[in-house]
Amino acid sequence: DAKTTQPTSMDCAEGRAANLPCNHSTISGNEYVYWYRQIHSQGPQYIIHGLKNNETNEMASLIITEDRKSSTLILPHATLRDTAVYYCIVRVTGGYQKVTFGIGTKLQVIP
Amino acid sequence: DAGVTQSPTHLIKTRGQHVTLRCSPISGHKSVSWYQQVLGQGPQFIFQYYEKEERGRGNFPDRFSARQFPNYSSELNVNALLLGDSALYLCASSLDPGTDLNGYTFGSGTRLTVV
């Protein structure tokens, strides 16, 4: 899996968009960008993933730069329940589950 | 449908003891993986099991072992506990080892404290 770099922590005002960046400059052509989040004392929860096109689902949007060396997870209207650690993971699809989680970004949503 | 269930939710053990953690996957899922998450760090892969066979192993000592049962539930065993084994142990289930990462479901984990 390619190495990823994320800020250690970020704050966001409730109701505003939260933009979480991730650098993955060594990403290979067949590697996807996945985002997970982990709310305190719970297991990681899948959010979204993409290869090179921008993706959107009911939880978030994923913007991947054209050179694919970085991406941004966007939570359009952050709520207090979005306070969590967000992990950016780069890997190929399928394969056995030796997933590499980094330290992630601790997002604090402020009232 | 029940999600991934892990038991117990918390436990405290003494150094040198043995511990067994349990995981029941989502109904229909045949693959189970175990992760260790030390405070302040991301989860680290320990094992993956599928159809009762080990399919992958992370960089953990032989004190860590696991098995999977015919009903696809799994146990993680840790012998000769060290203080450094204190962590949240997470179980993730999926249909099979080839499932894409977005098809994984994690349990809420077992919080192990070694004193």
Side-chain angles (χ1 to χ4, degrees), chain A residues 20-102:
Chain A
L20 292 92
C22 179
N23 288 319
H24 32 79
S25 59
T26 61
I27 190 170
S28 300
N30 61 345
E31 288 183 313
Y32 284 68
V33 180
Y34 293 83
W35 284 84
Y36 268 76
R37 75 178 182 184
Q38 187 173 22
I39 296 171
H40 183 62
S41 296
Q42 296 184 21
Q45 175 193 24
Y46 167 79
I47 302 173
I48 198 168
H49 76 288
L51 182 63
K52 55 183 178 181
N53 297 319
N54 299 336
E55 302 287 345
T56 297
N57 63 20
E58 65 279 4
M59 293 182 67
S61 295
L62 173 61
I63 308 298
I64 302 174
T65 58
E66 190 169 348
D67 63 8
R68 303 209 321 123
K69 292 185 177 181
S70 66
S71 60
T72 301
L73 178 74
I74 301 172
L75 308 178
H77 305 286
T79 70
L80 298 179
R81 288 177 294 179
D82 292 322
T83 292
V85 177
Y86 287 77
Y87 298 101
C88 170
I89 299 164
V90 173
R91 72 191 307 269
V92 297
T93 58
Y96 79 92
Q97 298 181 33
K98 187 177 180 180
V99 179
T100 301
F101 287 86

